[in-house]
Amino acid sequence: MTESSPAAARNSNIRQAVDFGALLAFMAAYAVNRFVRGLDGQEALVQATWVLVGASALALIVGYVVEKRLAPLPLITGGFALIFGVLTLVFHDPTLLKIKLTIQNGLLAVVLLGSLPLKKYPFKYLLGDAIKITDLGWRGLTLRYGLYFAAVAIVNEIVWRTQGDDTWVAFRGGLWIASAAFGIWQVFFIMKHLIKDDAEPDPVSPDTGL
């Protein structure tokens, strides 16, 4: 990693804390509207979306202030959250919020998996200055995340189409934990392919936003 890795790690931790806080705020808003105010699941999701939109905007602002730029992955996830959140509020339809995960992760999977035959690895261009690994490592990392995003898209479709709103919100919270665990797991793979192992790399978080 580069000499700025301590600062990069700190910025990454701040960004992930903000992202997790946004998710907690969304889930808390849903719980209050659902179980305290007594709204049905659909209406509780719509009301909680107001919190989601505000938290997503705040996450993008904090990310820009901390890193002096809008990092690509947080920008994509935050942008999707804002767009689909606003659409949910405009059309008063929480289904739009649910399919956001499918579309976002599906597109990421297509881009990553589609890059493999071309031997053009997006992560290499996004993270090449922070993580020095072999081309075999970039290919493996791209494949792993491509399959992960595809799995999330498929599971999300199954959950929201077959389960109730309460279950989907719980699934959304569990997905953040799964994403964090998956990112940490990739550190071991990255370490095996490091070209310069002067510092331990930060995990690449596969899901940095609602």
Side-chain angles (χ1 to χ4, degrees):
M1 294 185 67
T2 63
E3 294 179 358
S4 62
S5 57
R10 183 184 67 250
N11 293 342
S12 177
N13 290 336
I14 292 174
R15 188 178 65 244
Q16 291 186 39
V18 171
D19 291 337
F20 184 57
L23 175 60
L24 285 180
F26 169 74
M27 296 180 68
Y30 176 83
V32 169
N33 283 289
R34 182 77 171 95
F35 304 111
V36 177
R37 297 182 61 193
L39 301 180
D40 62 52
Q42 297 280 292
E43 184 62 27
L45 273 175
V46 171
Q47 295 302 316
T49 300
W50 288 100
V51 175
L52 168 66
V53 171
S56 298
L58 178 61
L60 287 174
I61 293 172
V62 171
Y64 180 78
V65 170
V66 169
E67 300 190 28
K68 307 304 181 186
R69 69 187 181 96
L70 289 175
L73 286 179
L75 178 60
I76 291 173
T77 56
F80 267 94
L82 285 175
I83 292 171
F84 282 86
V86 170
L87 289 175
T88 297
L89 295 174
V90 170
F91 294 101
H92 209 79
D93 183 1
T95 299
L96 295 169
L97 186 63
K98 295 176 180 178
I99 65 173
K100 172 259 180 188
L101 272 182
T102 301
I103 296 175
Q104 173 188 305
N105 286 278
L107 286 175
L108 289 171
V110 169
V111 170
L112 291 178
L113 296 178
S115 72
L116 291 174
L118 303 176
K119 296 184 179 180
K120 302 290 185 181
Y121 312 125
F123 279 147
K124 183 176 182 178
Y125 298 101
L126 294 177
L127 303 171
D129 292 334
I131 303 175
K132 302 297 183 181
I133 61 176
T134 64
D135 281 346
L136 181 61
W138 286 120
R139 180 177 178 81
L141 203 61
T142 299
L143 175 61
R144 286 169 172 235
Y145 273 97
L147 293 176
Y148 173 84
F149 289 132
V152 170
I154 293 171
V155 173
N156 182 66
E157 278 295 291
I158 295 173
V159 172
W160 85 261
R161 289 181 183 277
T162 63
Q163 305 299 315
D165 298 309
D166 296 348
T167 301
W168 183 80
V169 172
F171 160 74
R172 188 62 192 87
L175 181 60
W176 193 94
I177 297 174
S179 299
F182 183 82
I184 293 172
W185 179 37
Q186 301 320 300
V187 171
F188 300 101
F189 178 80
I190 292 172
M191 292 296 290
K192 291 181 180 179
H193 296 275
L194 275 179
I195 295 176
K196 242 178 129 177
D197 56 351
D198 53 348
E200 181 176 333
D202 302 317
V204 182
S205 178
D207 181 29
T208 54
L210 282 168

